[in-house]
Amino acid sequence: TSISFAIVSFTACYAAVDSGVDVAALLAKVGIEVNNTNESVGTFALAYAAHKALSPVRFPPTVALTPVVAKLLKKEGSAGSTDSADQ
């Protein structure tokens, strides 16, 4: 669940930076200072910084959904498994 959210988050941040969203201003609003050297970094670096700043937003749904996903995976795993005693 965590990896899925991280992939979606980073992809969304990369798309936002690539499309011209002023990520430096958004990061400044959440307390991450951006100076002139940071503004000259590439799209990947800005997207990564925004992705890391969004970690507190990703944490609650990850914690809430992990047990649900685990239960679904366990259910699918037990439904499709074959018992070695049957062979």
Side-chain angles (χ1 to χ4, degrees):
T1 308
S2 177
I3 294 172
S4 302
F5 279 139
I7 290 169
V8 170
S9 170
F10 181 77
T11 303
C13 290
Y14 188 90
V17 171
D18 196 44
S19 67
V21 172
D22 188 4
V23 174
L26 294 174
L27 291 174
K29 287 184 180 182
V30 295
I32 299 173
E33 291 298 319
V34 178
N35 57 30
N36 291 338
T37 57
N38 287 347
E39 290 176 355
S40 65
V41 299
T43 303
F44 184 87
L46 280 175
Y48 184 74
H51 164 74
K52 294 310 271 182
L54 288 172
S55 291
V57 174
R58 286 191 317 272
F59 183 71
T62 299
V63 171
L65 291 176
T66 297
V68 174
V69 171
K71 187 181 286 187
L72 288 172
L73 290 175
K74 184 177 178 183
K75 184 186 290 185
E76 283 190 24
S78 65
S81 68
T82 57
D83 192 16
S84 60
D86 291 340
Q87 295 179 355

